[in-house]
Amino acid sequence: MAPYCKGMSIIQAIVALITRSAGRILNAIFGWAVHALFGRTSARDQTTLSAIVGAAVAWPILALGVALPKIAAFVFARVPLPRSVPSSIVRIVWLVLAGVVPLVLGLAIAAKGRVARRGEPVVKRLLRGFPLTLGVAFAFLIMFVSVPLMRLAALARRENSTDVPLLTDADAYHDVAALIVEHLNRHGFELRAAEPGWWVKAPTRLLALFGGSAFAAFVPQQIEHFEDRSIKISFYASGVVLRGKRQRMTWARALIEEAIVHSEGLETSTTPAQDVERRIRAIWRGMDRGGSSARDAPALLRSFDEVGRALASIDVDYDEWQALYRQALQLDRALRGERPLLGESTPAVPASARSSGEREARPRRRHPRLASE
């Protein structure tokens, strides 16, 4: 009995690890989708719009309900329907829901979306929700399946995997990736551009295919993926996924979070948190432009004090709050004239080798502050 309990404990720990890590990635993609479709919104609007996008994510289950009505009902409600309830009635309910969700998304895009649609017929606006729903739903479905599989593959190879939330638009995406990779390579990594797997490319391609102009400003044309012998890094529009040996991956994540503050990428997804994060980035931009002189210091310190007051009163989840708090601590160190904590640290680096599928790395533009470390 004892070996059985021990085995079950190990299985439960593995499942919990995969579920927790996959949940972070899916939450980041969800926040990115809401931001990409609707831009900056009020907290009240964001709740409503998030619910609409959430319904679009669940659309495959609604479609499944048309074919298997009672099974889909059990998946949603966790309560089996009595045999006395006709399947045909339940099927009609699922069919109506599967049709209504895309229409509601199309209506929300027409009313609150980033892309103006003045003068378009109402019917066309409503129908636009169908391809958008398909794109969002299929992208989430692929991530929902592929992320746990990547976690299991990493465990089988005795590797670790983690992710860093990082929301970017199409314009900033490549610059953010270039900044991060350059920072990593100057601290002991030897990352080179490589061809990403289908599970990395598929979600972005689906969003571009079905989303059209709604996602055009947020879906990059080419996915950034880099490898060396110790680590693999994939850049999504909603975050960075790392796989490799634990010590190297932990070190890489710390360096990524150190570099992010000098980029246009955001680690938070809710409007209140992003407002504070943008204040932090504004101070960094002032310092990166040489604004740490005695003349500019009082204004920067006043802005930093405002960030501290905002952190004391902001109402967000702890994951987002601690990301803001860490960024504030990094900024506080810089305002005191101190170097980044990891600025002069470089651990031992294993010999690296290119894989056969690697592409040549493009020239990278060095960030002025990070280049001076």
Side-chain angles (χ1 to χ4, degrees):
M1 190 68 180
Y4 172 79
C5 294
K6 185 177 181 179
M8 288 300 297
S9 299
I10 294 173
I11 292 174
Q12 289 173 354
I14 293 173
V15 171
L17 173 65
I18 293 172
T19 303
R20 184 170 61 252
S21 58
R24 285 197 299 266
I25 293 179
L26 294 175
N27 285 336
I29 298 175
F30 183 83
W32 172 87
V34 175
H35 178 69
L37 288 171
F38 303 105
R40 298 179 66 182
T41 61
S42 66
R44 181 176 182 180
D45 284 345
Q46 189 170 37
T47 301
T48 302
L49 298 174
S50 296
I52 294 173
V53 174
V57 171
W59 187 85
I61 299 178
L62 304 179
L64 175 66
V66 178
L68 305 169
K70 292 192 175 182
I71 293 178
F74 177 76
V75 171
F76 257 123
R78 301 290 183 181
V79 176
L81 290 177
R83 292 185 178 182
S84 59
V85 178
S87 296
S88 58
I89 300 297
V90 183
R91 181 175 286 111
I92 291 173
V93 173
W94 287 121
L95 184 61
V96 170
L97 290 175
V100 166
V101 167
L103 294 176
V104 172
L105 181 60
L107 184 62
I109 291 293
K112 300 284 188 178
R114 287 176 174 272
V115 183
R117 300 293 180 184
R118 293 189 181 92
E120 274 192 347
V122 176
V123 174
K124 187 174 181 179
R125 297 186 186 191
L126 293 176
L127 293 179
R128 182 173 287 106
F130 283 89
L132 285 173
T133 297
L134 290 175
V136 172
F138 289 155
F140 270 78
L141 184 62
I142 289 176
M143 293 298 295
F144 186 78
V145 174
S146 65
V147 169
L149 290 178
M150 285 191 292
R151 294 292 188 264
L152 287 174
L155 288 172
R157 293 192 296 266
R158 296 184 179 181
E159 294 179 343
N160 289 71
S161 57
T162 189
D163 56 277
V164 181
L166 182 61
L167 277 65
T168 60
D169 57 27
D171 291 335
Y173 172 82
H174 298 290
D175 287 339
V176 172
L179 173 68
I180 289 173
V181 170
E182 180 189 343
H183 191 55
L184 290 170
N185 283 346
R186 282 188 291 103
H187 285 80
F189 291 88
E190 297 182 5
L191 292 162
R192 296 291 184 270
E195 186 65 25
W198 69 267
W199 57 88
V200 177
K201 296 184 290 186
T204 300
R205 288 183 174 178
L206 285 170
L207 290 171
L209 176 64
F210 291 104
S213 59
F215 284 116
F218 287 84
V219 176
Q221 294 285 331
Q222 180 180 343
I223 295 297
E224 299 277 7
H225 177 81
F226 298 84
E227 299 181 4
D228 70 8
R229 284 188 63 183
S230 63
I231 195 169
K232 297 180 177 67
I233 300 180
S234 301
F235 289 87
Y236 294 89
S238 58
V240 186
V241 177
L242 301 92
R243 288 173 290 151
K245 300 302 181 182
R246 182 172 62 182
Q247 191 273 342
R248 299 293 291 167
M249 191 187 64
T250 301
W251 177 249
R253 175 168 183 168
L255 289 170
I256 289 172
E257 291 177 338
E258 184 178 85
I260 282 174
V261 295
H262 299 281
S263 75
E264 295 297 322
L266 297 175
E267 291 188 72
T268 58
S269 59
T270 61
T271 298
Q274 286 187 346
D275 288 341
V276 176
E277 190 169 12
R278 286 190 173 93
R279 293 190 203 177
I280 295 174
R281 298 304 168 82
I283 301 174
W284 273 115
R285 283 194 297 271
M287 297 189 65
D288 290 340
R289 289 193 298 263
S292 53
S293 63
R295 181 187 61 185
D296 297 324
L300 294 176
L301 290 173
R302 284 195 299 271
S303 298
F304 184 71
D305 289 340
E306 292 175 2
V307 169
R309 287 191 289 271
L311 284 174
S313 59
I314 191 172
D315 182 16
V316 296
D317 291 338
Y318 181 74
D319 285 344
E320 295 213 326
W321 188 89
Q322 65 87 21
L324 296 173
Y325 184 65
R326 171 178 44 75
Q327 291 184 29
L329 291 179
Q330 290 176 250
L331 180 56
D332 178 61
R333 186 178 179 89
L335 287 169
R336 294 173 184 270
E338 300 175 359
R339 296 171 63 87
L341 187 61
L342 306 180
E344 297 180 349
S345 303
T346 302
V349 185
S352 63
R354 296 187 184 183
S355 63
S356 59
E358 287 183 321
R359 299 171 287 160
E360 289 297 322
R362 295 184 294 277
R364 297 298 178 180
R365 179 164 52 85
R366 179 169 291 191
H367 189 280
R369 175 169 290 274
L370 293 175
S372 64
E373 293 175 9

PDB file of all heavy atoms in Angstrom, residues 194-212:
ATOM      1  N   ALA A 194      16.959  29.587 -34.355  1.00  0.00           N
ATOM      2  CA  ALA A 194      16.667  28.232 -34.822  1.00  0.00           C
ATOM      3  C   ALA A 194      15.219  28.153 -35.275  1.00  0.00           C
ATOM      4  O   ALA A 194      14.405  29.044 -34.981  1.00  0.00           O
ATOM      5  CB  ALA A 194      16.948  27.210 -33.711  1.00  0.00           C
ATOM      6  N   GLU A 195      14.902  27.102 -35.990  1.00  0.00           N
ATOM      7  CA  GLU A 195      13.533  26.912 -36.486  1.00  0.00           C
ATOM      8  C   GLU A 195      12.653  26.380 -35.360  1.00  0.00           C
ATOM      9  O   GLU A 195      12.935  25.318 -34.787  1.00  0.00           O
ATOM     10  CB  GLU A 195      13.528  25.931 -37.655  1.00  0.00           C
ATOM     11  CG  GLU A 195      12.179  25.775 -38.340  1.00  0.00           C
ATOM     12  CD  GLU A 195      11.717  27.047 -39.027  1.00  0.00           C
ATOM     13  OE1 GLU A 195      12.582  27.884 -39.395  1.00  0.00           O
ATOM     14  OE2 GLU A 195      10.494  27.204 -39.196  1.00  0.00           O
ATOM     15  N   PRO A 196      11.574  27.085 -35.014  1.00  0.00           N
ATOM     16  CA  PRO A 196      10.703  26.605 -33.926  1.00  0.00           C
ATOM     17  C   PRO A 196       9.847  25.431 -34.382  1.00  0.00           C
ATOM     18  O   PRO A 196       9.610  25.238 -35.577  1.00  0.00           O
ATOM     19  CB  PRO A 196       9.832  27.831 -33.622  1.00  0.00           C
ATOM     20  CG  PRO A 196       9.790  28.593 -34.907  1.00  0.00           C
ATOM     21  CD  PRO A 196      11.130  28.372 -35.558  1.00  0.00           C
ATOM     22  N   GLY A 197       9.385  24.649 -33.420  1.00  0.00           N
ATOM     23  CA  GLY A 197       8.496  23.537 -33.716  1.00  0.00           C
ATOM     24  C   GLY A 197       7.106  24.022 -34.099  1.00  0.00           C
ATOM     25  O   GLY A 197       6.742  25.179 -33.890  1.00  0.00           O
ATOM     26  N   TRP A 198       6.312  23.115 -34.617  1.00  0.00           N
ATOM     27  CA  TRP A 198       4.963  23.483 -35.078  1.00  0.00           C
ATOM     28  C   TRP A 198       4.103  23.987 -33.933  1.00  0.00           C
ATOM     29  O   TRP A 198       3.249  24.858 -34.128  1.00  0.00           O
ATOM     30  CB  TRP A 198       4.285  22.292 -35.746  1.00  0.00           C
ATOM     31  CG  TRP A 198       3.936  21.184 -34.787  1.00  0.00           C
ATOM     32  CD1 TRP A 198       4.683  20.099 -34.476  1.00  0.00           C
ATOM     33  CD2 TRP A 198       2.744  21.081 -33.997  1.00  0.00           C
ATOM     34  NE1 TRP A 198       4.053  19.325 -33.523  1.00  0.00           N
ATOM     35  CE2 TRP A 198       2.851  19.900 -33.228  1.00  0.00           C
ATOM     36  CE3 TRP A 198       1.600  21.870 -33.860  1.00  0.00           C
ATOM     37  CZ2 TRP A 198       1.864  19.493 -32.342  1.00  0.00           C
ATOM     38  CZ3 TRP A 198       0.608  21.456 -32.971  1.00  0.00           C
ATOM     39  CH2 TRP A 198       0.737  20.285 -32.227  1.00  0.00           C
ATOM     40  N   TRP A 199       4.315  23.441 -32.729  1.00  0.00           N
ATOM     41  CA  TRP A 199       3.498  23.852 -31.585  1.00  0.00           C
ATOM     42  C   TRP A 199       3.778  25.292 -31.168  1.00  0.00           C
ATOM     43  O   TRP A 199       2.969  25.902 -30.494  1.00  0.00           O
ATOM     44  CB  TRP A 199       3.742  22.917 -30.403  1.00  0.00           C
ATOM     45  CG  TRP A 199       5.171  22.842 -29.986  1.00  0.00           C
ATOM     46  CD1 TRP A 199       5.826  23.642 -29.101  1.00  0.00           C
ATOM     47  CD2 TRP A 199       6.151  21.915 -30.456  1.00  0.00           C
ATOM     48  NE1 TRP A 199       7.149  23.279 -28.986  1.00  0.00           N
ATOM     49  CE2 TRP A 199       7.373  22.217 -29.803  1.00  0.00           C
ATOM     50  CE3 TRP A 199       6.110  20.843 -31.351  1.00  0.00           C
ATOM     51  CZ2 TRP A 199       8.542  21.486 -30.046  1.00  0.00           C
ATOM     52  CZ3 TRP A 199       7.271  20.133 -31.579  1.00  0.00           C
ATOM     53  CH2 TRP A 199       8.465  20.455 -30.935  1.00  0.00           C
ATOM     54  N   VAL A 200       4.941  25.807 -31.554  1.00  0.00           N
ATOM     55  CA  VAL A 200       5.258  27.208 -31.296  1.00  0.00           C
ATOM     56  C   VAL A 200       4.623  28.103 -32.357  1.00  0.00           C
ATOM     57  O   VAL A 200       4.072  29.164 -32.059  1.00  0.00           O
ATOM     58  CB  VAL A 200       6.789  27.424 -31.255  1.00  0.00           C
ATOM     59  CG1 VAL A 200       7.116  28.903 -31.064  1.00  0.00           C
ATOM     60  CG2 VAL A 200       7.408  26.592 -30.131  1.00  0.00           C
ATOM     61  N   LYS A 201       4.686  27.672 -33.617  1.00  0.00           N
ATOM     62  CA  LYS A 201       4.205  28.498 -34.724  1.00  0.00           C
ATOM     63  C   LYS A 201       2.691  28.445 -34.902  1.00  0.00           C
ATOM     64  O   LYS A 201       2.080  29.429 -35.330  1.00  0.00           O
ATOM     65  CB  LYS A 201       4.876  28.072 -36.024  1.00  0.00           C
ATOM     66  CG  LYS A 201       6.377  28.276 -36.044  1.00  0.00           C
ATOM     67  CD  LYS A 201       6.980  27.918 -37.393  1.00  0.00           C
ATOM     68  CE  LYS A 201       6.941  26.422 -37.658  1.00  0.00           C
ATOM     69  NZ  LYS A 201       7.650  26.061 -38.899  1.00  0.00           N
ATOM     70  N   ALA A 202       2.077  27.314 -34.584  1.00  0.00           N
ATOM     71  CA  ALA A 202       0.660  27.110 -34.915  1.00  0.00           C
ATOM     72  C   ALA A 202      -0.280  28.141 -34.295  1.00  0.00           C
ATOM     73  O   ALA A 202      -1.135  28.688 -35.003  1.00  0.00           O
ATOM     74  CB  ALA A 202       0.244  25.696 -34.533  1.00  0.00           C
ATOM     75  N   PRO A 203      -0.200  28.434 -32.975  1.00  0.00           N
ATOM     76  CA  PRO A 203      -1.159  29.398 -32.415  1.00  0.00           C
ATOM     77  C   PRO A 203      -1.095  30.760 -33.096  1.00  0.00           C
ATOM     78  O   PRO A 203      -2.136  31.365 -33.399  1.00  0.00           O
ATOM     79  CB  PRO A 203      -0.730  29.492 -30.941  1.00  0.00           C
ATOM     80  CG  PRO A 203      -0.053  28.202 -30.654  1.00  0.00           C
ATOM     81  CD  PRO A 203       0.669  27.864 -31.928  1.00  0.00           C
ATOM     82  N   THR A 204       0.111  31.254 -33.366  1.00  0.00           N
ATOM     83  CA  THR A 204       0.252  32.560 -34.003  1.00  0.00           C
ATOM     84  C   THR A 204      -0.294  32.531 -35.423  1.00  0.00           C
ATOM     85  O   THR A 204      -0.961  33.473 -35.861  1.00  0.00           O
ATOM     86  CB  THR A 204       1.737  32.984 -34.012  1.00  0.00           C
ATOM     87  OG1 THR A 204       2.199  33.046 -32.662  1.00  0.00           O
ATOM     88  CG2 THR A 204       1.906  34.342 -34.664  1.00  0.00           C
ATOM     89  N   ARG A 205      -0.019  31.472 -36.159  1.00  0.00           N
ATOM     90  CA  ARG A 205      -0.513  31.370 -37.529  1.00  0.00           C
ATOM     91  C   ARG A 205      -2.034  31.294 -37.570  1.00  0.00           C
ATOM     92  O   ARG A 205      -2.667  31.867 -38.463  1.00  0.00           O
ATOM     93  CB  ARG A 205       0.100  30.147 -38.208  1.00  0.00           C
ATOM     94  CG  ARG A 205       1.586  30.318 -38.528  1.00  0.00           C
ATOM     95  CD  ARG A 205       2.144  29.123 -39.264  1.00  0.00           C
ATOM     96  NE  ARG A 205       3.527  29.364 -39.687  1.00  0.00           N
ATOM     97  CZ  ARG A 205       4.271  28.468 -40.317  1.00  0.00           C
ATOM     98  NH1 ARG A 205       3.770  27.273 -40.594  1.00  0.00           N
ATOM     99  NH2 ARG A 205       5.512  28.752 -40.668  1.00  0.00           N
ATOM    100  N   LEU A 206      -2.618  30.596 -36.619  1.00  0.00           N
ATOM    101  CA  LEU A 206      -4.085  30.515 -36.580  1.00  0.00           C
ATOM    102  C   LEU A 206      -4.699  31.878 -36.294  1.00  0.00           C
ATOM    103  O   LEU A 206      -5.696  32.263 -36.905  1.00  0.00           O
ATOM    104  CB  LEU A 206      -4.516  29.498 -35.516  1.00  0.00           C
ATOM    105  CG  LEU A 206      -4.337  28.028 -35.882  1.00  0.00           C
ATOM    106  CD1 LEU A 206      -4.578  27.151 -34.661  1.00  0.00           C
ATOM    107  CD2 LEU A 206      -5.289  27.627 -37.006  1.00  0.00           C
ATOM    108  N   LEU A 207      -4.109  32.618 -35.358  1.00  0.00           N
ATOM    109  CA  LEU A 207      -4.628  33.953 -35.048  1.00  0.00           C
ATOM    110  C   LEU A 207      -4.492  34.885 -36.243  1.00  0.00           C
ATOM    111  O   LEU A 207      -5.379  35.689 -36.525  1.00  0.00           O
ATOM    112  CB  LEU A 207      -3.895  34.531 -33.840  1.00  0.00           C
ATOM    113  CG  LEU A 207      -4.197  33.866 -32.493  1.00  0.00           C
ATOM    114  CD1 LEU A 207      -3.257  34.389 -31.423  1.00  0.00           C
ATOM    115  CD2 LEU A 207      -5.643  34.091 -32.087  1.00  0.00           C
ATOM    116  N   ALA A 208      -3.375  34.770 -36.963  1.00  0.00           N
ATOM    117  CA  ALA A 208      -3.196  35.599 -38.158  1.00  0.00           C
ATOM    118  C   ALA A 208      -4.168  35.195 -39.256  1.00  0.00           C
ATOM    119  O   ALA A 208      -4.717  36.049 -39.966  1.00  0.00           O
ATOM    120  CB  ALA A 208      -1.757  35.492 -38.650  1.00  0.00           C
ATOM    121  N   LEU A 209      -4.403  33.883 -39.405  1.00  0.00           N
ATOM    122  CA  LEU A 209      -5.274  33.386 -40.473  1.00  0.00           C
ATOM    123  C   LEU A 209      -6.723  33.786 -40.234  1.00  0.00           C
ATOM    124  O   LEU A 209      -7.395  34.307 -41.141  1.00  0.00           O
ATOM    125  CB  LEU A 209      -5.156  31.860 -40.563  1.00  0.00           C
ATOM    126  CG  LEU A 209      -6.082  31.162 -41.568  1.00  0.00           C
ATOM    127  CD1 LEU A 209      -5.761  31.591 -42.989  1.00  0.00           C
ATOM    128  CD2 LEU A 209      -5.969  29.645 -41.426  1.00  0.00           C
ATOM    129  N   PHE A 210      -7.214  33.563 -39.027  1.00  0.00           N
ATOM    130  CA  PHE A 210      -8.629  33.820 -38.746  1.00  0.00           C
ATOM    131  C   PHE A 210      -8.875  35.239 -38.236  1.00  0.00           C
ATOM    132  O   PHE A 210      -9.976  35.766 -38.401  1.00  0.00           O
ATOM    133  CB  PHE A 210      -9.152  32.821 -37.702  1.00  0.00           C
ATOM    134  CG  PHE A 210      -9.256  31.415 -38.210  1.00  0.00           C
ATOM    135  CD1 PHE A 210      -8.325  30.465 -37.844  1.00  0.00           C
ATOM    136  CD2 PHE A 210     -10.290  31.043 -39.050  1.00  0.00           C
ATOM    137  CE1 PHE A 210      -8.420  29.152 -38.301  1.00  0.00           C
ATOM    138  CE2 PHE A 210     -10.393  29.737 -39.518  1.00  0.00           C
ATOM    139  CZ  PHE A 210      -9.456  28.791 -39.145  1.00  0.00           C
ATOM    140  N   GLY A 211      -7.879  35.835 -37.598  1.00  0.00           N
ATOM    141  CA  GLY A 211      -8.090  37.135 -36.972  1.00  0.00           C
ATOM    142  C   GLY A 211      -8.048  38.306 -37.927  1.00  0.00           C
ATOM    143  O   GLY A 211      -8.694  39.323 -37.690  1.00  0.00           O
ATOM    144  N   GLY A 212      -7.288  38.173 -39.030  1.00  0.00           N
ATOM    145  CA  GLY A 212      -7.212  39.258 -40.005  1.00  0.00           C
ATOM    146  C   GLY A 212      -6.727  40.552 -39.380  1.00  0.00           C
ATOM    147  O   GLY A 212      -5.784  40.577 -38.587  1.00  0.00           O
TER     148      GLY A 212
END
